[in-house]
């Protein structure tokens, strides 16, 4: 399953401070999938340290994060939680 687009569920967005990720669910081809975007991605997109603004930065860059999440999913569709890294920004 290689998805070109996915739809982020805004109600699922959660800042996992300990893991330095923002976790979220998205719908891909009518299937709910779990994702986590690393703080490094948020820093690369915004130029700012996520710290206590990770969710706000995530929301501001949600379209780019959705594109990167689709790339990450295509890389390994069998992951339980797809990790979105800076390499997925393209």
């Amino acid at each position: 399953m290689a998805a070109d687009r996915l739809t982020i569920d805004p109600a699922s967005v959660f800042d996992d401070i300990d893991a330095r990720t923002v976790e979220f669910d998205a719908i891909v081809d009518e299937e709910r999938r779990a994702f986590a975007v690393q703080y490094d991605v948020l820093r690369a997109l915004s130029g700012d340290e996520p710290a206590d603004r990770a969710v706000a930065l995530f929301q501001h860059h949600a379209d780019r994060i959705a594109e990167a999440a689709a790339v990450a999913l295509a890389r390994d569709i069998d992951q339980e939680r797809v990790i979105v890294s800076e390499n997925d920004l393209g």
Side-chain angles (χ1 to χ4, degrees):
M1 159 179 40
D4 292 330
R5 288 289 303 162
L6 50 84
T7 303
I8 294 172
D9 175 1
S12 71
V13 178
F14 170 75
D15 185 6
D16 186 344
I17 297 167
D18 295 333
R20 297 186 50 78
T21 62
V22 173
E23 298 180 4
F24 64 97
D25 291 341
I27 305 301
V28 183
D29 297 332
E30 299 181 23
E31 180 183 344
R32 182 173 285 277
R33 298 294 305 253
F35 293 84
V37 61
Q38 297 174 336
Y39 275 18
D40 291 345
V41 174
L42 300 174
R43 188 179 307 108
L45 290 171
S46 69
D48 292 331
E49 181 61 36
D52 60 346
R53 300 175 350 124
V55 171
L57 292 174
F58 177 94
Q59 292 168 335
H60 184 75
H61 296 283
D63 289 340
R64 291 280 314 273
I65 291 168
E67 292 170 5
V71 170
L73 179 61
R75 183 179 65 247
D76 186 0
I77 63 170
D78 294 325
Q79 297 178 70
E80 185 175 321
R81 179 172 304 280
V82 178
I83 305 300
V84 183
S85 72
E86 228 178 316
N87 294 334
D88 300 314
L89 288 175

